[in-house]
Amino acid sequence: MPGRITARLAKLVIPDTDKKQVTDLLDAPPTDFPALDIIAEQLELGSAKLGRLEVDAQNIPATAGHADSWNLQKLTLTNPDGRLSGTGSWERDGTAPGRKMAVKFVLGFSNGGGLLSRLGLAQAIRNANGKLEGDLSWRGSPFAINYPSLSGKLHLAAEKGQFLKADAGVRGRLLGLFSLQSLAHRVTGDFRDVFSEGFAFDSLTGSATVQNGTLSTDDFIM
C-alpha cells in the first residue's frame, strides 16, 4: 500500500536543475504514488516565487468495477497577485491505454502583470484584474502536461489592464496579438495609446475550447 507524505514547510525550493528529476520521481503510477498533505508557506520553482502552497491528495485503491485513482482534493497557490484553486483526478482512461489527468481550476488575479512576472513573463501586461476558469484533461502524468492530448474548456474575464511589448517566443507572440491600436480611439481623436507603450483595455472576455492541444474561440471580445 502507498504511504502518506505530510509536511509543514516554511519554504519549498525546487531549483531549475532539479525540475526534471522531481518530475521523473513523481511520474509513478497511482498504485505507487503516496497521499499528500503538504503546506509550504513559500513555494519557489526555479526563479519563480509562486507563494503559499496547499496540497491534499488521496490514493484510492481499486475496487470491483473501478480502477485505482489518485484524487487531488485540494490545490491552492496564493500570492499577493492572485490565487489558484483546483481539484482533479488521475485514473485509467476508459477510451485509450494509459491514464488521464483531469483538473478543474479557478485562477483569480488582482494584478495580472505581477502574476505573469512570477511565471517568467515580465513586462507583458501592466495591472489587470479578473478570473480564468478551466476544465482540462490530458493523457499521462499529472505533473507534466501532454499538450498533444490536452483538451477541455477555458473562460477568461479581465478588466483594466494594458498589454506591453512582449518578448519574442511563443508566449510573446501570443500576447503580441493583443498589442493592437484601438480604432475607436482613432475615431474620437484619442492617440494617447500610440505615444505610450502598449495597448490599454477596459475589459476582455472570451471562452475557448481546447481539442488535442489546439485552442479555438469564437466569442473573444476586448
Side-chain angles (χ1 to χ4, degrees):
M1 291 292 292
R4 179 181 182 86
I5 296 177
T6 300
R8 299 293 182 266
L9 307 170
K11 182 180 290 188
L12 174 59
V13 179
I14 302 176
D16 283 323
T17 53
D18 293 338
K19 282 183 182 179
K20 186 178 187 305
Q21 181 181 353
V22 171
T23 299
D24 291 343
L25 179 65
L26 297 178
D27 277 350
T31 51
D32 300 331
F33 202 81
L36 299 177
D37 177 14
I38 297 175
I39 297 177
E41 296 301 325
Q42 178 63 48
L43 171 64
E44 295 185 12
L45 186 59
S47 61
K49 300 182 186 302
L50 300 179
R52 187 177 193 270
L53 171 71
E54 293 185 55
V55 178
D56 185 1
Q58 304 293 327
N59 193 304
I60 310 300
T63 58
H66 297 318
D68 54 280
S69 64
W70 188 75
N71 289 352
L72 181 61
Q73 297 178 320
K74 179 182 181 181
L75 169 66
T76 62
L77 194 56
T78 308
N79 58 58
D81 299 313
R83 183 178 190 272
L84 170 70
S85 60
T87 59
S89 63
W90 186 32
E91 55 194 0
R92 195 171 301 281
D93 188 347
T95 61
R99 296 184 179 275
K100 180 174 72 173
M101 183 66 194
V103 296
K104 292 184 178 180
F105 71 89
V106 177
L107 174 61
F109 50 93
S110 57
N111 184 346
L115 190 60
L116 286 175
S117 293
R118 290 177 182 273
L119 300 176
L121 196 58
Q123 297 302 311
I125 292 179
R126 179 178 294 129
N127 300 325
N129 62 81
K131 181 168 66 174
L132 174 66
E133 300 177 82
D135 188 346
L136 300 172
S137 65
W138 62 89
R139 292 196 184 101
S141 165
F143 302 96
I145 296 176
N146 177 262
Y147 289 100
S149 65
L150 181 64
S151 299
K153 297 180 179 179
L154 296 168
H155 179 75
L156 171 67
E159 61 180 14
K160 296 180 174 61
Q162 183 179 18
F163 287 100
L164 304 176
K165 294 179 180 179
D167 293 332
V170 174
R171 292 177 297 179
R173 289 197 299 270
L174 177 61
L175 290 170
L177 293 174
F178 306 125
S179 297
L180 311 171
Q181 304 304 331
S182 171
L183 178 61
H185 286 185
R186 295 307 151 267
V187 172
T188 59
D190 184 351
F191 287 82
R192 285 176 298 176
D193 57 324
V194 172
F195 300 108
S196 63
E197 184 182 41
F199 167 65
F201 62 88
D202 296 315
S203 67
L204 185 157
T205 62
S207 298
T209 59
V210 185
Q211 186 66 40
N212 295 327
T214 300
L215 182 147
S216 59
T217 180
D218 59 7
D219 66 349
F220 183 86
I221 300 173
M222 180 166 60

